[in-house]
Amino acid sequence: MEHIVIIGNGISGITAARHIRKNSDKKITVVSAETDYFFSRTALMYVYMGHMKFEHTQPYENWFWKKNRIDLVKGYVRTVDHQNKKLVLQDGNTIDYDKLIIATGSKPNKFGWPGQDLPGVQGLYSKQDLDQLEANAPDNKTCKRAVIVGGGLIGIEMAEMLLSRKIPVTFLVREDSFWNGVLPDGESQMINEHILEHHIDLRLGMNLKEILADENGQARAIVIAETGEEIACDVVGLTAGVSPNINFLKESGIELGRGVKVNPYLETNIPDIYAIGDCAEQHEGIGQRRPIEAVWYTGRMMGETVAQTICGNKIEYKPGHWFNSAKFLDLEYQTYGWVFARGPARKEFEQHFHWRDSKEKICVTIAFNEESKQFLGINTFGIRMRHEIFDRWLTEKRDVNYVLEYLKDANFDPEFYAQYESKIVSKFNSKFGTSISPKKKSWKRIFATSKTC
Amino acid sequence: MKTIKNIGLVIFLIGLGIFAALPLLGTYKINPSTLDEIVTKKRIKSEIFIEGLQKSIVGKEFQGMQSLSPLVGSAIENANTQHVKNKEYKKKIYTSASEMAALIGKKSGTGFMTNNKGLMWFLTFGFGIIGALMFIVPNVVLLGKKGIKNDGIYHENSTNKGWIAWLVFIFLVGFYLILYFKSEYAVNWTYLVDPISESLSGNPAGHWFVYGFMYCTVMTVMAVRMYIKYRHNVYQMIRTTSVLFFQIVFAFLIPEIMVRLQMPYYDFKNVFPLDYDFFFQWNLNSLLDSGGIGLFILVWGIVLTLVIVPVMVYFFGKRWYCSWVCGCGGLAETLGDPYRQHSSKSLFSWKIERWLIHGVLVFAVVMTGMTLYSFFAETGTVLGLKTQSIQNTYSLAIGSVFAGVIGTGFYPIFGNRVWCRFGCPLAAYLGFVQRFKSRFRITTNGGQCISCGNCSTYCEQGIDVRAYAQKGENIVRSSCVGCGICSAVCPRGVLKLENGPEQGRINPTEVLLGNDVDLMELVNKK
Ligand SMILES: Cc1cc2nc3c(=O)[nH]c(=O)nc-3n(C[C@H](O)[C@H](O)[C@H](O)COP(=O)(O)OP(=O)(O)OC[C@H]3O[C@@H](n4cnc5c(N)ncnc54)[C@H](O)[C@@H]3O)c2cc1C
Ligand code: SF4
């Protein structure tokens, strides 16, 4: 029986394992160092905040693995010996494989800041990081202030976590507006306001110079590069992005860039070795995507795809239209298609229509082609949208007028919520001199061709 | 703000403390006329019992029900033994000791409590309400910006099965035990609400009136908490208002007023088979004896079960009843909301659930079948089984112990829908309709789920919502009561309660939206 070994029990590795099991009778082993069972990394914050217990982050009950004959091995893979098709674990044990899937995820970036390895300084990626944070910042007496370095999605999650225990937070953001490499100005501005409303000490356009230690070698303060200001704190959160967790492969002969280099079939340069998820790097980004995509959904999709290939149905990794979502404190964010904040990704022809409610923190940005009027993508804050509808419109290459006319079909907010489509459309009309009137929502249209896509 | 909360808590606890102490306090002075009244009313023919009580209690004063009740009990027992021995079955007393003691107690209370009903009401209910509101309302400010506020639920003793939760558990179970099995100890509580009862139905309050009044009070106060916690969520606001309305108006006010108008006591929204004694002989007789209104209720009750309920479930899902109308659901959604996370999500629990709830439904239907057969055939037994004893078993095991003691008492430990999930025969019936013939579903938003588990954790019915959502699959489950909390707590906007076309409602998928369209075609079509 062919033995498939997967390194990493995150979403990508586990999705691959599940789909291989569905489609075959192969022997499957998952090796991972972090936890006994698959858990949802995206939910780590909720454990610290007391919304859930750690066990709730595990999507499958513990009996699931045995029942589905997916063998779990807890251990750290030190080297991959592809000549002998063998893995060597930290404890000296070896595992033979016929096919190997590398799904080792990411690790937090550290940029060589002085003091970055002091006790009290940490990232937020793994279960161990969560436990560390629980030890470093159990309450606002032990941790009187925390400084978070890096204004991305994990940074703001970490700020929200600390706030839930009433710990004052200083938030150093390199950009001069929050996440404005990704978000257009109006949206980024709204998030800035929202962060301040939560009494987070937001420092835009500031970088970390160094972290200072006290006499016990514990982090006690940080220094800001731009101003030289020293901020006393007990915990420093480093959340300046992540990069592939592949150091153990340095000598393996597998081609590496920033991540494990793969072709569109998710194959590495070595036969029978594949890489998926955060750690995989495409030779060239697919469509407008980046070569490394460190998000949950792409990890899952690569897992779905590689399983087909391994089960004899060789198939290219061809993700469909881009989508993503996040939550900034109390604000939900969704995106479908591409809305680029600025160049070089944002091309000349990409025009934006931005609407923001006068009272609530709700806004929408729609990107479209200035000449052809083709709809390119949408960002929404505080309004949920229907994935299927936008996916369909993107495939059908609808123009922006059509999208606005039928916007109500796409609304996915809970029943009885206030509707904003009319306001959005009327602003669009007045801005572009159109006379679109929004159509009533229709079940018929919504479920028209919704078999799978 | 914190101080207001703390003062509120203290006031609440004082009110609760007094309320909890009442069953054992108070003075009872038994007049000869009281005994006579009861003897006439209950048509008691046992001179042994009457003489016994005249000797042991009449003319005396008792401190606390605990000194009176045993004497009544032993008088009944003594009389019954004698009569059985002498084969004087006609003289045997069938009124239970509890009921008898409650009857006597209610008429004999004297002293401070009976003379100061208003004040006592204020010290118990009043303190409880004021204290609880002082504890709850500051959250408008303390919870900060509107949004999901589940911070610390698993750190707090009370919501994470700590000792406070266990105390609440003991309190609730004790309360239900008194209510169902030791109602004489509720006599002092009835005094508190006598004035209210008299103004509604014209009668002094019984222990069920206490329960009804308390139910409404607790729901109202906890609804305020819901309004504050979910103020960003219009669905929750409207739904909470709806359950509150149906409880106060339909379950509480209308039946009391009907009694005042000499009509039968009836809750128009209580549907058979949840309303399991609807077809019991005494109820049918009482309805048939009540003229036009009785007949109307009879027809309404039947049409409700056979037509209105399933049709509504077809269009809206069982939520229209279970989380918008039903009283049990209403309490679960208000008082029970802080405990919703405790319902077990394991596959094992789901198995137990299906056996139990369908078992109860079968039990209820069989019992009703026997009842109706007995009624029309005018016989007491069916196939050698005594209809009466089957009814008694159901009333005790399901109606009292399961629905009351376990159903509500276990909130702090097993979550707030124990009864609705494992026991309610109506829920089982609605569940069939919802699962197989309904427009209702929880739609999963394409591929947006991040498997975080908030939805599953906060599902009060123990549905592993995530198991469906992470596969991109809609949630169509018979047990879903459509409370809408999964949709509320989802940080990625994945879930939406909808009534849409039946076609495509159940959509098993393997590969989710967002991946290669050809792959999706290939795999999902298989
Ligand atoms: C706090 C946080 C919040 C996030 N929120 C979101 C979100 O909301 N939406 C979103 O799309 N994405 C989010 N992400 C990103 C998302 O979680 C990742 O993209 C995804 O988990 C990557 O999955 P993976 O399977 O590729 O790797 P991982 O989940 O990292 O799994 C890899 C596993 O392999 C193990 N491993 C690594 N090397 C070895 C070795 N040599 N031997 C043995 N085991 C090894 C690791 O310990 C780890 O357990 C978030 C990430 C974090 C940290
Ligand atoms: S709460 Fe939302 S994102 Fe989280 S598991 Fe449930 S459906 Fe998925």
Side-chain angles (χ1 to χ4, degrees), chain B residues 81-110:
Chain B
T81 344
Q82 296 276 345
H83 295 314
V84 171
K85 207 158 87 195
N86 303 342
K87 303 212 157 71
E88 304 165 309
Y89 295 113
K90 289 227 168 87
K91 292 188 178 173
K92 208 176 152 200
I93 296 169
Y94 288 100
T95 310
S96 75
S98 273
E99 196 187 335
M100 190 70 80
L103 275 174
I104 297 172
K106 177 79 188 178
K107 292 207 158 46
S108 326
T110 59

Side-chain angles (χ1 to χ4, degrees), chain A residues 42 46 297, chain B residues 444 448-456 465-467 469-470 475 486 489-495:
Chain A
T42 52
Y46 299 111
Y297 314 110
Chain B
T444 288
Q448 285 279 22
C449 175
I450 53 169
S451 301
C452 70
N454 275 291
C455 52
S456 295
V465 183
R466 165 174 59 191
Q470 68 188 357
I475 295 103
C486 58
V489 297
C490 174
R492 294 294 179 271
V494 177
L495 305 165

Side-chain angles (χ1 to χ4, degrees), chain B residues 240-446:
Chain B
T240 303
T241 310
S242 170
V243 275
L244 199 58
F245 169 81
F246 280 101
Q247 172 59 32
I248 295 179
V249 176
F250 279 75
F252 184 66
L253 293 179
I254 293 182
E256 292 294 333
I257 292 170
M258 285 174 69
V259 170
R260 157 152 269 169
L261 302 177
Q262 316 284 318
M263 294 177 182
Y265 180 101
Y266 184 65
D267 175 354
F268 280 95
K269 63 153 187 53
N270 198 1
V271 182
F272 173 83
L274 173 60
D275 186 7
Y276 61 87
D277 52 15
F278 187 74
F279 293 108
F280 280 13
Q281 186 163 17
W282 59 263
N283 192 46
L284 290 182
N285 284 336
S286 130
L287 291 179
L288 293 174
D289 288 347
S290 312
I293 182 75
L295 219 55
F296 174 77
I297 291 175
L298 194 60
V299 174
W300 167 257
I302 294 169
V303 172
L304 197 57
T305 299
L306 294 182
V307 183
I308 301 181
V309 160
V311 169
M312 292 282 279
V313 175
Y314 171 74
F315 283 106
F316 304 110
K318 89 191 210 190
R319 56 181 172 155
W320 84 268
Y321 192 79
C322 296
S323 69
W324 284 70
V325 171
C326 179
C328 307
L331 194 69
E333 296 291 346
T334 48
L335 177 66
D337 182 70
Y339 305 114
R340 53 172 53 254
Q341 65 279 7
H342 296 319
S343 55
S344 162
K345 310 303 174 320
S346 68
L347 196 64
F348 178 69
S349 307
W350 188 14
K351 278 190 189 142
I352 296 185
E353 169 191 319
R354 282 180 293 183
W355 277 105
L356 262 181
I357 194 166
H358 296 129
V360 173
L361 177 61
V362 170
F363 189 178
V365 169
V366 169
M367 171 186 73
T368 305
M370 288 175 67
T371 305
L372 289 176
Y373 179 82
S374 301
F375 183 77
F376 289 113
E378 294 180 10
T379 152
T381 57
V382 180
L383 301 173
L385 285 171
K386 260 183 140 168
T387 307
Q388 178 77 43
S389 52
I390 299 289
Q391 288 176 346
N392 291 349
T393 311
Y394 189 95
S395 303
L396 176 75
I398 311 294
S400 308
V401 175
F402 205 159
V405 181
I406 298 178
T408 309
F410 284 26
Y411 274 8
I413 309 301
F414 289 130
N416 56 337
R417 286 276 191 176
V418 177
W419 162 248
C420 314
R421 178 184 179 191
F422 294 102
C424 177
L426 178 61
Y429 166 42
L430 304 191
F432 280 127
V433 184
Q434 169 157 295
R435 174 68 182 70
F436 296 108
K437 192 72 195 161
S438 170
R439 292 166 58 85
F440 173 74
R441 88 293 308 275
I442 303 175
T443 304
T444 288
N445 200 10

Side-chain angles (χ1 to χ4, degrees), chain A residues 91-130:
Chain A
D91 58 14
N93 286 339
T94 60
I95 298 176
D96 296 326
Y97 66 83
D98 295 308
K99 290 203 167 107
L100 177 68
I101 303 175
I102 301 169
T104 51
S106 310
K107 57 181 187 338
N109 287 335
K110 292 183 175 183
F111 292 111
W113 294 295
Q116 67 182 15
D117 296 317
L118 290 171
V121 182
Q122 66 164 114
L124 178 69
Y125 190 84
S126 62
K127 167 72 164 61
Q128 287 70 26
D129 291 336
L130 174 72

